[in-house]
Structure formats: structure tokens, C-alpha cells
Amino acid sequence: MNWDDTTDAASAEERLVGSVADREDQAVEAALRPKDLGEFIGQEKVREQLDLVLRAARARGATADHVLLSGAPGLGKTTLSMIIAAEMGAPIRITSGPAIQHAGDLAAILSSLQEGEVLFLDEIHRMSRPAEEMLYMAMEDFRVDVVVGKGPGATAIPLELPPFTLVGATTRAGLLPPPLRDRFGFTAHMEFYEPTELERVVHRSASLLDVEIDTDGAAEIAGRSRGTPRIANRLLRRVRDYAQVKADGIIDRDIAAAALKVYEVDARGLDRLDRAVLQALLKLFGGGPVGLSTLAVAVGEERETVEEVAEPFLVREGLLARTPRGRVATPAAWAHLGLTPPRSTAAGGGQQDLFGA
Ligand code: ADP
């Protein structure tokens, strides 16, 4: 495998429940990645469809169609791209949109691909416009025009490429311009994982890491992993440390809960920042509505941090709603922090209108 990677993922979001890979994740994830579709847990529909696409291509002796994978970080897009290469018996090249700022960067990668090679392009929506346009032709005709020289003397030299499979990954397929989206033969959307699936991920990783864990211990970690295998694996490593230092190394429910209490990851997977936002919303602003800037000042964070780091998960969990009049806590938020909502909320007045009830 050839890492052609300069992603800025490591610096993006270094928190225990962050879904972007940090340096430690990058170092250990290779050992935990499922190697074939049979080992890949969950995502039944995607697996079934991809299995058909790959089997058919193999039967025809052809290169697989281009594949677009969309979904949040940490759900297994890189892993699936490696599985596609493995199932096709092909080598894989890994790069990312931000690493390809010039069409020339892309031309260099494309022209060095081997026949049948899988090119994994992470964060494909962040590629530069000229590179994107070059990619259209490469995907469709396995050809690129390399422009040599500048101004009136510039000439386009056509370059034939070997057939290859592009696997593009993006957080949302809607971020891609339709002409690019249309050039993928198969598009799959990856969902967040169910707790039972994450339990299987935790058991599998524990056995690969030689860590002893019981069913309840795995369930405890899975429940706090925000639907994301990467987070499940990271929490497992932290709980393993705790179990080694404070107990006999074996993880059960009590050990997992005690360890994650130390790391301030609560029963629903909220961390210190998430809870600070909810607490400010409930205790200082009576559950809202309150403007984003005011809320950010109250927790001593940047607006963007609250909006992009804390809120998406709180909204997904049904704890916070973004309304035209500001941020509003849901009844579940009051319950989660063990607080009693003011009477108007409890009685279904005031705030209820904001949800359109
Ligand atoms: P993404 O590319 O979507 O950010 P990755 O493919 O890098 O996510 O997956 C992150 C980690 O989660 C990997 O170490 C991998 O082992 C694990 N993982 C992801 N999906 C699965 C799965 N379906 N089954 C088991 N482990 C998984």
C-alpha cells in the first residue's frame, strides 16, 4: 500500500470522543481494520450491494466501477476502500482532496497508477476545481490532458491511463457537484452504527489487542461510542489502560464505567464540552431559546467550536434543537442532566411551539 497522504486530520479534533483520527488512532488502526467484507461489521445494505458489484466485476475480469462512500468520519470508509482493493486483488493508493491542490498533482498520481489499482480519495469534496475537472475525464475515459507550457504556446498532451477504480469518500454526497457524483457507478451512504454492532466491534478489537472483556463491559463502551467504530476502539484502549493500572486487566461493566468517568465520557457518550454546552443552556438560559454567540460566551468557547464540535452530536441525540429563534434544549436534555424543566416547558407550553407542535 502506498500512503500519499497529507491530511490535516490529526490536528482537527483531538478529543476522546472526536470522530476524526488522531495520531494514536492512525498508528493503531491498521491492526484493527477488518480485512474483507466478511469481517466488516454492520452496514448490511452497503456490504450486500458492494459484494455484488465486486463479484460481478471479478466474474467479468474487469476493474470495479468507481465507488462513492459518504458518511461521518470514523464509520469505516477508508477500511472499505482497502477491502475493495483486497477483494479485487489490487494494490491501493491513498490520498485526499486537500492534498491535491493542483491538477498537476492529480495527473502525477493518475499517471503512476497500475492497471486495476484502487485510488482512495478521502474528502473528495475538498479538491481544487481544476483537479476536479481533470478527474471527470479520467473517471470516464481513463485519459487526461496534461497542459504543457503557458499562454498562447500552451499545448494539451493527451495521456492514456490504465483502468482504475476510484473510491471517493465524503462526509456528505450533497457536497459534491452533480457532474462528479454522476460519474460514480455505485454510491453508498454509511449510517451510524447500532449499539449491538459496536459491541461486536469492541469484542473483535479486544481480541486483536489481547484484552479480556465481558459482554457487559463491551456494552458499556459501545453505548458511549456515539455510533462510531473509531470512537469505540479509542474508548476501549483507554478503558484497557485503566483496567491494567487499577484492576486485574479484565474489563467488566464497573471497570468500563469507572474508567470512562475518569475520562469524563458520560453514559450517552457526551464529553465535558457537550455537557458544558447543555448545562449553560439549561441552567443559565432556562433551556433557551438563546443565540449561538451568547451560548458560546457562556461556555468560554469559540462560536465555531460550539456549532461544529458539540452541537451536531447533541442535535443527533435529540438533546438540543436549532430553531430560528436560537438554541433550545429538548425535554430529553433536562432528563439527561437530572434537572427539572421550568413549569412552562414541563407543561408543554412556551418551548413546545418552537418545535412546531
Ligand atoms: P473513516 O475512513 O470513515 O474515517 P476508518 O475506515 O478509518 O473510518 O475506520 C476507523 C476505525 O474503525 C478503523 O480502525 C476500523 O478498524 C474501525 N472500523 C470501521 N468500520 C468498522 C466495521 N464495520 N467493523 C469493524 N471495525 C470497523
PDB file of all heavy atoms in Angstrom, residues 17-42:
ATOM      1  N   VAL A  17     -13.812  11.684  22.387  1.00  0.00           N
ATOM      2  CA  VAL A  17     -14.984  11.265  21.612  1.00  0.00           C
ATOM      3  C   VAL A  17     -15.026  11.952  20.251  1.00  0.00           C
ATOM      4  O   VAL A  17     -16.056  11.975  19.598  1.00  0.00           O
ATOM      5  CB  VAL A  17     -16.308  11.522  22.380  1.00  0.00           C
ATOM      6  CG1 VAL A  17     -16.424  10.595  23.566  1.00  0.00           C
ATOM      7  CG2 VAL A  17     -16.403  12.976  22.800  1.00  0.00           C
ATOM      8  N   GLY A  18     -13.899  12.517  19.805  1.00  0.00           N
ATOM      9  CA  GLY A  18     -13.839  13.104  18.465  1.00  0.00           C
ATOM     10  C   GLY A  18     -13.848  11.986  17.432  1.00  0.00           C
ATOM     11  O   GLY A  18     -13.293  10.922  17.677  1.00  0.00           O
ATOM     12  N   SER A  19     -14.472  12.243  16.273  1.00  0.00           N
ATOM     13  CA  SER A  19     -14.576  11.145  15.314  1.00  0.00           C
ATOM     14  C   SER A  19     -13.458  11.138  14.282  1.00  0.00           C
ATOM     15  O   SER A  19     -13.294  10.190  13.542  1.00  0.00           O
ATOM     16  CB  SER A  19     -15.938  11.187  14.615  1.00  0.00           C
ATOM     17  OG  SER A  19     -16.179  12.483  14.127  1.00  0.00           O
ATOM     18  N   VAL A  20     -12.653  12.221  14.255  1.00  0.00           N
ATOM     19  CA  VAL A  20     -11.540  12.273  13.310  1.00  0.00           C
ATOM     20  C   VAL A  20     -10.341  11.565  13.944  1.00  0.00           C
ATOM     21  O   VAL A  20     -10.133  11.651  15.153  1.00  0.00           O
ATOM     22  CB  VAL A  20     -11.198  13.750  12.979  1.00  0.00           C
ATOM     23  CG1 VAL A  20      -9.945  13.833  12.122  1.00  0.00           C
ATOM     24  CG2 VAL A  20     -12.370  14.420  12.280  1.00  0.00           C
ATOM     25  N   ALA A  21      -9.558  10.864  13.126  1.00  0.00           N
ATOM     26  CA  ALA A  21      -8.435  10.081  13.655  1.00  0.00           C
ATOM     27  C   ALA A  21      -7.355  10.985  14.243  1.00  0.00           C
ATOM     28  O   ALA A  21      -6.937  11.947  13.607  1.00  0.00           O
ATOM     29  CB  ALA A  21      -7.835   9.227  12.550  1.00  0.00           C
ATOM     30  N   ASP A  22      -6.887  10.691  15.460  1.00  0.00           N
ATOM     31  CA  ASP A  22      -5.738  11.411  15.990  1.00  0.00           C
ATOM     32  C   ASP A  22      -4.479  10.568  15.722  1.00  0.00           C
ATOM     33  O   ASP A  22      -4.554   9.518  15.084  1.00  0.00           O
ATOM     34  CB  ASP A  22      -5.913  11.744  17.485  1.00  0.00           C
ATOM     35  CG  ASP A  22      -6.057  10.501  18.350  1.00  0.00           C
ATOM     36  OD1 ASP A  22      -5.586   9.432  17.924  1.00  0.00           O
ATOM     37  OD2 ASP A  22      -6.637  10.595  19.441  1.00  0.00           O
ATOM     38  N   ARG A  23      -3.331  11.039  16.195  1.00  0.00           N
ATOM     39  CA  ARG A  23      -2.091  10.333  15.842  1.00  0.00           C
ATOM     40  C   ARG A  23      -2.077   8.901  16.347  1.00  0.00           C
ATOM     41  O   ARG A  23      -1.641   7.986  15.662  1.00  0.00           O
ATOM     42  CB  ARG A  23      -0.888  11.099  16.392  1.00  0.00           C
ATOM     43  CG  ARG A  23      -0.527  12.234  15.492  1.00  0.00           C
ATOM     44  CD  ARG A  23       0.646  13.046  15.975  1.00  0.00           C
ATOM     45  NE  ARG A  23       0.489  14.405  15.523  1.00  0.00           N
ATOM     46  CZ  ARG A  23       0.578  14.782  14.267  1.00  0.00           C
ATOM     47  NH1 ARG A  23       0.830  13.906  13.332  1.00  0.00           N
ATOM     48  NH2 ARG A  23       0.388  16.030  13.914  1.00  0.00           N
ATOM     49  N   GLU A  24      -2.571   8.718  17.581  1.00  0.00           N
ATOM     50  CA  GLU A  24      -2.549   7.355  18.134  1.00  0.00           C
ATOM     51  C   GLU A  24      -3.451   6.441  17.308  1.00  0.00           C
ATOM     52  O   GLU A  24      -3.089   5.310  17.004  1.00  0.00           O
ATOM     53  CB  GLU A  24      -3.002   7.374  19.595  1.00  0.00           C
ATOM     54  CG  GLU A  24      -2.883   5.992  20.236  1.00  0.00           C
ATOM     55  CD  GLU A  24      -3.511   5.910  21.622  1.00  0.00           C
ATOM     56  OE1 GLU A  24      -3.664   6.953  22.268  1.00  0.00           O
ATOM     57  OE2 GLU A  24      -3.848   4.794  22.029  1.00  0.00           O
ATOM     58  N   ASP A  25      -4.640   6.981  16.919  1.00  0.00           N
ATOM     59  CA  ASP A  25      -5.546   6.165  16.095  1.00  0.00           C
ATOM     60  C   ASP A  25      -4.847   5.712  14.834  1.00  0.00           C
ATOM     61  O   ASP A  25      -4.903   4.559  14.430  1.00  0.00           O
ATOM     62  CB  ASP A  25      -6.777   6.983  15.659  1.00  0.00           C
ATOM     63  CG  ASP A  25      -7.662   7.371  16.820  1.00  0.00           C
ATOM     64  OD1 ASP A  25      -7.718   6.611  17.784  1.00  0.00           O
ATOM     65  OD2 ASP A  25      -8.284   8.447  16.749  1.00  0.00           O
ATOM     66  N   GLN A  26      -4.170   6.677  14.184  1.00  0.00           N
ATOM     67  CA  GLN A  26      -3.526   6.360  12.907  1.00  0.00           C
ATOM     68  C   GLN A  26      -2.499   5.255  13.094  1.00  0.00           C
ATOM     69  O   GLN A  26      -2.331   4.400  12.232  1.00  0.00           O
ATOM     70  CB  GLN A  26      -2.870   7.614  12.312  1.00  0.00           C
ATOM     71  CG  GLN A  26      -3.914   8.584  11.785  1.00  0.00           C
ATOM     72  CD  GLN A  26      -3.319   9.901  11.285  1.00  0.00           C
ATOM     73  OE1 GLN A  26      -2.138  10.155  11.430  1.00  0.00           O
ATOM     74  NE2 GLN A  26      -4.158  10.727  10.714  1.00  0.00           N
ATOM     75  N   ALA A  27      -1.823   5.291  14.247  1.00  0.00           N
ATOM     76  CA  ALA A  27      -0.788   4.293  14.485  1.00  0.00           C
ATOM     77  C   ALA A  27      -1.372   2.906  14.734  1.00  0.00           C
ATOM     78  O   ALA A  27      -0.805   1.912  14.281  1.00  0.00           O
ATOM     79  CB  ALA A  27       0.073   4.725  15.667  1.00  0.00           C
ATOM     80  N   VAL A  28      -2.508   2.840  15.439  1.00  0.00           N
ATOM     81  CA  VAL A  28      -3.001   1.503  15.809  1.00  0.00           C
ATOM     82  C   VAL A  28      -4.135   0.987  14.929  1.00  0.00           C
ATOM     83  O   VAL A  28      -4.433  -0.198  14.936  1.00  0.00           O
ATOM     84  CB  VAL A  28      -3.477   1.455  17.287  1.00  0.00           C
ATOM     85  CG1 VAL A  28      -2.336   1.744  18.229  1.00  0.00           C
ATOM     86  CG2 VAL A  28      -4.632   2.402  17.520  1.00  0.00           C
ATOM     87  N   GLU A  29      -4.760   1.880  14.146  1.00  0.00           N
ATOM     88  CA  GLU A  29      -5.943   1.442  13.404  1.00  0.00           C
ATOM     89  C   GLU A  29      -5.638   0.346  12.385  1.00  0.00           C
ATOM     90  O   GLU A  29      -6.467  -0.517  12.133  1.00  0.00           O
ATOM     91  CB  GLU A  29      -6.632   2.631  12.727  1.00  0.00           C
ATOM     92  CG  GLU A  29      -7.594   3.323  13.683  1.00  0.00           C
ATOM     93  CD  GLU A  29      -8.343   4.485  13.065  1.00  0.00           C
ATOM     94  OE1 GLU A  29      -8.105   4.798  11.887  1.00  0.00           O
ATOM     95  OE2 GLU A  29      -9.175   5.070  13.781  1.00  0.00           O
ATOM     96  N   ALA A  30      -4.440   0.402  11.828  1.00  0.00           N
ATOM     97  CA  ALA A  30      -4.099  -0.588  10.801  1.00  0.00           C
ATOM     98  C   ALA A  30      -4.315  -2.005  11.325  1.00  0.00           C
ATOM     99  O   ALA A  30      -4.818  -2.870  10.607  1.00  0.00           O
ATOM    100  CB  ALA A  30      -2.665  -0.395  10.350  1.00  0.00           C
ATOM    101  N   ALA A  31      -3.972  -2.210  12.591  1.00  0.00           N
ATOM    102  CA  ALA A  31      -4.079  -3.550  13.155  1.00  0.00           C
ATOM    103  C   ALA A  31      -5.526  -3.967  13.387  1.00  0.00           C
ATOM    104  O   ALA A  31      -5.831  -5.158  13.501  1.00  0.00           O
ATOM    105  CB  ALA A  31      -3.310  -3.607  14.470  1.00  0.00           C
ATOM    106  N   LEU A  32      -6.414  -2.976  13.481  1.00  0.00           N
ATOM    107  CA  LEU A  32      -7.798  -3.293  13.842  1.00  0.00           C
ATOM    108  C   LEU A  32      -8.745  -3.330  12.636  1.00  0.00           C
ATOM    109  O   LEU A  32      -9.908  -3.664  12.766  1.00  0.00           O
ATOM    110  CB  LEU A  32      -8.325  -2.259  14.854  1.00  0.00           C
ATOM    111  CG  LEU A  32      -7.557  -2.168  16.173  1.00  0.00           C
ATOM    112  CD1 LEU A  32      -8.170  -1.102  17.069  1.00  0.00           C
ATOM    113  CD2 LEU A  32      -7.549  -3.511  16.893  1.00  0.00           C
ATOM    114  N   ARG A  33      -8.253  -2.942  11.481  1.00  0.00           N
ATOM    115  CA  ARG A  33      -9.137  -2.869  10.315  1.00  0.00           C
ATOM    116  C   ARG A  33      -9.548  -4.247   9.831  1.00  0.00           C
ATOM    117  O   ARG A  33      -8.693  -5.089   9.594  1.00  0.00           O
ATOM    118  CB  ARG A  33      -8.412  -2.182   9.152  1.00  0.00           C
ATOM    119  CG  ARG A  33      -8.321  -0.696   9.286  1.00  0.00           C
ATOM    120  CD  ARG A  33      -7.735  -0.095   8.025  1.00  0.00           C
ATOM    121  NE  ARG A  33      -7.137   1.189   8.294  1.00  0.00           N
ATOM    122  CZ  ARG A  33      -7.821   2.307   8.474  1.00  0.00           C
ATOM    123  NH1 ARG A  33      -9.132   2.272   8.413  1.00  0.00           N
ATOM    124  NH2 ARG A  33      -7.210   3.433   8.721  1.00  0.00           N
ATOM    125  N   PRO A  34     -10.866  -4.452   9.634  1.00  0.00           N
ATOM    126  CA  PRO A  34     -11.307  -5.700   9.008  1.00  0.00           C
ATOM    127  C   PRO A  34     -10.661  -5.826   7.626  1.00  0.00           C
ATOM    128  O   PRO A  34     -10.498  -4.832   6.931  1.00  0.00           O
ATOM    129  CB  PRO A  34     -12.816  -5.510   8.870  1.00  0.00           C
ATOM    130  CG  PRO A  34     -13.179  -4.422   9.817  1.00  0.00           C
ATOM    131  CD  PRO A  34     -11.963  -3.560   9.955  1.00  0.00           C
ATOM    132  N   LYS A  35     -10.289  -7.058   7.262  1.00  0.00           N
ATOM    133  CA  LYS A  35      -9.541  -7.246   6.013  1.00  0.00           C
ATOM    134  C   LYS A  35     -10.427  -7.621   4.817  1.00  0.00           C
ATOM    135  O   LYS A  35     -10.015  -7.492   3.679  1.00  0.00           O
ATOM    136  CB  LYS A  35      -8.485  -8.347   6.196  1.00  0.00           C
ATOM    137  CG  LYS A  35      -7.476  -8.042   7.310  1.00  0.00           C
ATOM    138  CD  LYS A  35      -6.313  -7.208   6.799  1.00  0.00           C
ATOM    139  CE  LYS A  35      -5.241  -6.992   7.849  1.00  0.00           C
ATOM    140  NZ  LYS A  35      -5.617  -5.989   8.869  1.00  0.00           N
ATOM    141  N   ASP A  36     -11.630  -8.164   5.112  1.00  0.00           N
ATOM    142  CA  ASP A  36     -12.525  -8.470   3.988  1.00  0.00           C
ATOM    143  C   ASP A  36     -13.975  -8.172   4.375  1.00  0.00           C
ATOM    144  O   ASP A  36     -14.260  -7.869   5.535  1.00  0.00           O
ATOM    145  CB  ASP A  36     -12.362  -9.920   3.508  1.00  0.00           C
ATOM    146  CG  ASP A  36     -12.577 -10.916   4.626  1.00  0.00           C
ATOM    147  OD1 ASP A  36     -13.485 -10.688   5.449  1.00  0.00           O
ATOM    148  OD2 ASP A  36     -11.838 -11.918   4.705  1.00  0.00           O
ATOM    149  N   LEU A  37     -14.867  -8.277   3.399  1.00  0.00           N
ATOM    150  CA  LEU A  37     -16.262  -7.895   3.657  1.00  0.00           C
ATOM    151  C   LEU A  37     -16.887  -8.739   4.758  1.00  0.00           C
ATOM    152  O   LEU A  37     -17.711  -8.261   5.527  1.00  0.00           O
ATOM    153  CB  LEU A  37     -17.093  -8.030   2.374  1.00  0.00           C
ATOM    154  CG  LEU A  37     -17.031  -6.857   1.395  1.00  0.00           C
ATOM    155  CD1 LEU A  37     -17.884  -7.153   0.173  1.00  0.00           C
ATOM    156  CD2 LEU A  37     -17.492  -5.554   2.055  1.00  0.00           C
ATOM    157  N   GLY A  38     -16.455  -9.999   4.849  1.00  0.00           N
ATOM    158  CA  GLY A  38     -16.996 -10.893   5.876  1.00  0.00           C
ATOM    159  C   GLY A  38     -16.668 -10.408   7.287  1.00  0.00           C
ATOM    160  O   GLY A  38     -17.440 -10.607   8.219  1.00  0.00           O
ATOM    161  N   GLU A  39     -15.539  -9.775   7.443  1.00  0.00           N
ATOM    162  CA  GLU A  39     -15.118  -9.290   8.771  1.00  0.00           C
ATOM    163  C   GLU A  39     -15.711  -7.928   9.103  1.00  0.00           C
ATOM    164  O   GLU A  39     -15.683  -7.492  10.245  1.00  0.00           O
ATOM    165  CB  GLU A  39     -13.586  -9.114   8.788  1.00  0.00           C
ATOM    166  CG  GLU A  39     -12.781 -10.304   9.215  1.00  0.00           C
ATOM    167  CD  GLU A  39     -11.317  -9.920   9.383  1.00  0.00           C
ATOM    168  OE1 GLU A  39     -10.995  -9.022  10.176  1.00  0.00           O
ATOM    169  OE2 GLU A  39     -10.486 -10.511   8.679  1.00  0.00           O
ATOM    170  N   PHE A  40     -16.197  -7.229   8.072  1.00  0.00           N
ATOM    171  CA  PHE A  40     -16.715  -5.866   8.254  1.00  0.00           C
ATOM    172  C   PHE A  40     -18.071  -5.937   8.961  1.00  0.00           C
ATOM    173  O   PHE A  40     -18.999  -6.569   8.476  1.00  0.00           O
ATOM    174  CB  PHE A  40     -16.844  -5.182   6.885  1.00  0.00           C
ATOM    175  CG  PHE A  40     -17.012  -3.693   6.948  1.00  0.00           C
ATOM    176  CD1 PHE A  40     -15.917  -2.855   7.084  1.00  0.00           C
ATOM    177  CD2 PHE A  40     -18.274  -3.121   6.862  1.00  0.00           C
ATOM    178  CE1 PHE A  40     -16.068  -1.472   7.134  1.00  0.00           C
ATOM    179  CE2 PHE A  40     -18.440  -1.745   6.916  1.00  0.00           C
ATOM    180  CZ  PHE A  40     -17.337  -0.917   7.046  1.00  0.00           C
ATOM    181  N   ILE A  41     -18.183  -5.292  10.104  1.00  0.00           N
ATOM    182  CA  ILE A  41     -19.391  -5.413  10.938  1.00  0.00           C
ATOM    183  C   ILE A  41     -20.425  -4.363  10.539  1.00  0.00           C
ATOM    184  O   ILE A  41     -20.068  -3.221  10.251  1.00  0.00           O
ATOM    185  CB  ILE A  41     -18.989  -5.266  12.431  1.00  0.00           C
ATOM    186  CG1 ILE A  41     -18.127  -6.457  12.846  1.00  0.00           C
ATOM    187  CG2 ILE A  41     -20.220  -5.131  13.328  1.00  0.00           C
ATOM    188  CD1 ILE A  41     -17.337  -6.249  14.125  1.00  0.00           C
ATOM    189  N   GLY A  42     -21.716  -4.759  10.543  1.00  0.00           N
ATOM    190  CA  GLY A  42     -22.802  -3.789  10.291  1.00  0.00           C
ATOM    191  C   GLY A  42     -22.881  -3.332   8.848  1.00  0.00           C
ATOM    192  O   GLY A  42     -22.323  -3.966   7.953  1.00  0.00           O
TER     193      GLY A  42
END
